[in-house]
Amino acid sequence: MDLFTQLSQELAALKDSRRNWENTWQEIGDLVSPNRSDFLTLRTQGEKRREKIFESTPLRALTRFSSGMHNLLTPSTQSWFELKMRNGALNEERDVKLWLEETTRVLIQTFNRPHNNFHPSMHEYLLDLGAFGTGIMHVRDIPGEGPYFASYPLYNCYLAKNDMGRVDTIYRVYEHTAKEVLEAFGEEKLPDKVKKALEAGKYYDKFECVHVVKPVSTFKDAPIKRFPFVSIYFMPTVKTILNVGGFDSFPFVCSRWERNSQETYGRGPGAEALADIKMLNEMEKTYLKALQKMVDPPLMIPDDGFLNPVRTTPGGINYYRSGLGKDERIFPMPTPGRVDIAEMKMSQVRQNIEKAFYLDMMELPGPVANDGDVLRFTATEVQARQRDRLQIVGPLVARQEIEMLGPMIERTTQILLTNNMLPMPPDIIMEQEEFNIEYRNPVSVAMRGYELNSISQLIQFLTPIAQIDPTILQRLDTSQIVKLGSDILRTPPSVVKDEAQFQQEQQQQQEQSALLQTLQQAQISANIDQTTSAAEKNRAMAADQIAN
């Protein structure tokens, strides 16, 4: 079996294995994320996509979910992770601490740099994660520039997992214009069909392309064997392989929100809220009809008999038999609807949808006024409530730390090392290549918030007792409190002195104090000697005067 046949058969098998998923994803996409929902219905660019949507709460809930998760996991205004050596003893070395801090700073700057496209891609990634339960991002290596992040929609990506449940294979089906194929792969590798389009000046004719990345061990006869992952671009319609390459690590980040251990794809809040979303959409249609009837009701017009069909649409005209009314006149048809009950039920469903997207956990807690202000609670109470809520969210985002943040940071670090864009490490860790990633985002800080609260409460408890027994506070190890507090609050190492530097400064202060005390004692002794000498001189002079 040749390479092209093997790839084509694998792609067909992956497409067939997810057909059941696509029915659900299409339903979710039509009502929640219509711009990224071409699973069963392929739409052209610029085509209307919201014909089925009558209520926009699910769309706004998904956008707020993406923004909330973005700020919780990868906030652009703060450092949301730090690197640690796996060998814990090295983390106590000041040179190692400063190097790890500087390396972390370079990584954060890389993620925040606009032309790396991280934050726009992360927002799109989280939209797919919230709606369909699976997100896909490509971390490309641009030589001389570093990483470039690109989020791909789920509808044109086909995944496979390894025995550990991690995604290690992707087939991405997409369209390239003739011009883009030429720019990406060069003229030598172009198939005849693309060359003819270019010669005819049809630069924007589109051609289907496939990019596959998968482990080298999955090939019967791998086209390239020096990389753990093989990358191949091919065009299925013209049976041409455009490019063969490889990667030292899997270049795609693929995470699932919630997953069955036997399944490849995940389920997200969109699937959980689908029943409520469909119900709310139908209720909104009925609600609008009821409002139209109230504003522009159907009319009753007398006639010799009643004519079918009955027109119940707004502005409809129905003829009724003479004598049914008090007088023969035109009057509006009674429409005894309870709009208030519909409004109450729709409000409940909206709240259920927002809870399904965890908005009550991520956004500001407490009763909210019309202007958006939180009522009743003080700032301290709001912070405490928000911290408690974030602790509930913690287990939900743990999978994202494992499947999304960890691989993304590792891949970015590897690209920066390849391009010599990281600071030179100290000699002591030149042979150490094992790193740990500790997350410093609001969720991880909230998870350890109770430790800091217990320390603060202990100090507050002991302070009045110290008025009676001043030695009570000496039982506290203040150095350990500073160390633990800076660790919980994720304080940069450069702003906290290490133990050796602190002890050295303490010793210098003690030596200076001892020297100052010695000088003061010497000055006092000199003053005493001078006073004694003056007294003896005065006594001698007095004795001479008496003798004379």
Side-chain angles (χ1 to χ4, degrees):
M1 182 185 301
D2 63 358
L3 180 60
F4 180 82
T5 302
Q6 178 186 351
L7 297 177
S8 299
Q9 290 181 354
E10 289 181 359
L11 176 58
L14 291 176
K15 286 183 176 181
D16 185 66
S17 66
R18 79 168 205 181
R19 294 192 186 280
N20 290 336
W21 291 94
E22 291 178 343
N23 293 324
T24 303
W25 290 339
Q26 189 65 53
E27 273 192 295
I28 297 172
D30 288 340
L31 300 177
V32 180
S33 183
N35 295 333
R36 304 173 71 86
S37 62
D38 290 351
F39 295 99
L40 301 177
T41 304
L42 183 61
R43 299 180 177 90
T44 59
Q45 296 182 10
E47 184 178 348
K48 292 182 179 179
R49 292 173 174 264
R50 302 194 177 192
E51 300 90 345
K52 298 181 180 180
I53 297 176
F54 290 87
E55 224 288 345
S56 58
T57 294
L59 281 77
R60 293 194 301 271
L62 177 62
T63 302
R64 291 161 62 190
F65 167 85
S66 177
S67 298
M69 291 302 300
H70 194 164
N71 290 328
L72 288 180
L73 295 176
T74 59
S76 60
T77 57
Q78 69 183 72
S79 178
W80 45 273
F81 72 93
E82 63 179 342
L83 299 180
K84 295 283 188 180
M85 299 301 300
R86 190 160 295 180
N87 182 353
L90 292 176
N91 292 321
E92 301 302 322
E93 298 289 337
R94 184 150 183 86
D95 290 344
V96 176
K97 281 185 176 181
L98 295 178
W99 180 81
L100 290 173
E101 180 183 356
E102 178 64 17
T103 301
T104 302
R105 186 186 64 81
V106 173
L107 285 168
I108 292 295
Q109 287 181 344
T110 300
F111 287 122
N112 290 339
R113 194 174 296 124
H115 71 262
N116 290 119
N117 199 44
F118 171 72
H119 288 292
S121 296
M122 178 56 66
H123 179 71
E124 295 174 0
Y125 180 97
L126 292 171
L127 288 176
D128 273 1
L129 188 66
F132 310 115
T134 304
I136 301 168
M137 183 183 295
H138 188 191
V139 187
R140 298 176 56 188
D141 182 2
I142 308 298
E145 297 185 12
Y148 181 83
F149 302 89
S151 174
Y152 296 139
L154 178 61
Y155 62 77
N156 63 8
C157 294
Y158 302 86
L159 310 177
K161 60 182 178 65
N162 57 20
D163 60 331
M164 302 295 293
R166 304 284 182 84
V167 174
D168 66 350
T169 299
I170 182 170
Y171 280 76
R172 185 172 74 93
V173 181
Y174 63 101
E175 286 186 336
H176 255 341
T177 63
K179 174 178 174 293
E180 291 171 335
V181 175
L182 175 64
E183 293 172 347
F185 305 105
E187 187 175 359
E188 296 180 358
K189 298 183 178 181
L190 296 183
D192 292 338
K193 192 173 183 179
V194 178
K195 290 181 179 179
K196 291 179 180 179
L198 291 171
E199 292 173 356
K202 300 178 180 179
Y203 296 101
Y204 299 102
D205 282 2
K206 293 184 177 181
F207 300 89
E208 185 180 62
C209 300
V210 178
H211 180 205
V212 54
V213 179
K214 64 175 191 166
V216 66
S217 59
T218 60
F219 287 90
K220 295 181 179 179
D221 185 14
I224 185 169
K225 299 181 179 180
R226 66 178 184 272
F227 295 105
F229 292 90
V230 178
S231 169
I232 301 175
Y233 289 87
F234 67 95
M235 300 179 67
T237 55
V238 294
K239 299 182 178 181
T240 301
I241 293 180
L242 298 173
N243 179 268
V244 176
F247 297 100
D248 292 322
S249 61
F250 191 56
F252 287 87
V253 176
C254 305
S255 69
R256 286 69 58 93
W257 180 257
E258 182 182 356
R259 184 181 71 90
N260 184 311
S261 60
Q262 302 300 317
E263 296 174 339
T264 300
Y265 301 94
R267 292 176 172 83
E272 179 181 347
L274 182 57
D276 284 329
I277 292 171
K278 294 168 67 175
M279 181 196 307
L280 181 63
N281 204 55
E282 291 299 321
M283 291 174 67
E284 183 68 20
K285 287 195 292 185
T286 304
Y287 179 74
L288 292 175
K289 290 179 181 179
L291 288 181
Q292 286 179 307
K293 289 180 182 179
M294 295 177 66
V295 175
D296 186 13
L299 300 178
M300 301 294 290
I301 298 178
D303 189 52
D304 289 338
F306 202 82
L307 301 181
N308 287 325
V310 177
R311 297 170 177 84
T312 60
T313 59
I317 297 177
N318 296 290
Y319 294 94
Y320 66 92
R321 180 170 301 178
S322 299
L324 290 180
K326 295 181 180 179
D327 49 12
E328 306 301 333
R329 61 184 179 83
I330 298 175
F331 62 92
M333 175 184 289
T335 53
R338 291 293 303 275
V339 177
D340 56 330
I341 296 179
E343 290 177 343
M344 180 179 65
K345 180 60 179 177
M346 291 170 63
S347 178
Q348 293 176 353
V349 177
R350 290 190 186 100
Q351 292 178 6
N352 292 339
I353 293 173
E354 292 179 349
K355 289 180 179 179
F357 283 95
Y358 303 97
L359 301 185
D360 58 325
M361 298 294 178
M362 293 186 291
E363 296 182 347
L364 202 61
V368 180
N370 294 330
D371 57 0
D373 289 339
V374 176
L375 305 177
R376 284 205 318 249
F377 302 139
T378 65
T380 303
E381 290 174 323
V382 169
Q383 290 178 356
R385 289 172 178 267
Q386 184 71 344
R387 183 175 61 249
D388 292 341
R389 294 186 178 203
L390 290 180
Q391 289 181 342
I392 298 175
V393 177
L396 300 174
V397 303
R399 177 183 289 275
Q400 304 312 311
E401 294 180 350
I402 297 172
E403 294 190 355
M404 177 182 69
L405 298 182
M408 182 172 60
I409 294 172
E410 292 172 1
R411 170 70 178 165
T412 303
T413 303
Q414 184 183 54
I415 292 175
L416 293 178
L417 284 171
T418 303
N419 289 274
N420 298 317
M421 300 175 72
L422 289 180
M424 183 65 65
D427 294 337
I428 193 174
I429 62 171
M430 288 298 291
E431 297 180 359
Q432 299 284 337
E433 298 182 357
E434 298 293 332
F435 292 90
N436 286 334
I437 302 171
E438 293 188 3
Y439 298 101
R440 296 164 45 176
N441 51 51
V443 176
S444 63
V445 173
M447 294 292 287
R448 300 193 63 186
Y450 282 117
E451 297 180 52
L452 199 60
N453 286 343
S454 63
I455 297 174
S456 178
Q457 290 172 4
L458 176 62
I459 295 174
Q460 292 176 4
F461 174 73
L462 295 178
T463 299
I465 301 177
Q467 302 296 326
I468 304 173
D469 182 6
T471 63
I472 196 70
L473 293 179
Q474 296 178 7
R475 291 178 174 270
L476 297 178
D477 186 347
T478 54
S479 297
Q480 187 63 23
I481 291 176
V482 172
K483 181 179 179 180
L484 183 60
S486 62
D487 180 56
I488 294 174
L489 296 176
R490 310 304 190 190
T491 306
S494 59
V495 304
V496 180
K497 299 175 183 177
D498 63 3
E499 189 65 22
Q501 182 182 359
F502 178 72
Q503 293 297 338
Q504 182 180 4
E505 292 182 358
Q506 288 291 103
Q507 183 178 358
Q508 290 176 354
Q509 290 179 4
Q510 292 173 0
E511 292 175 354
Q512 291 175 358
S513 298
L515 179 60
L516 180 60
Q517 185 176 3
T518 302
L519 292 174
Q520 289 175 347
Q521 291 177 351
Q523 183 66 35
I524 293 172
S525 299
N527 292 338
I528 293 174
D529 292 342
Q530 184 178 1
T531 303
T532 303
S533 176
E536 291 292 337
K537 184 177 179 180
N538 292 334
R539 188 180 299 112
M541 291 176 62
D544 290 342
Q545 290 177 356
I546 295 171
N548 294 330

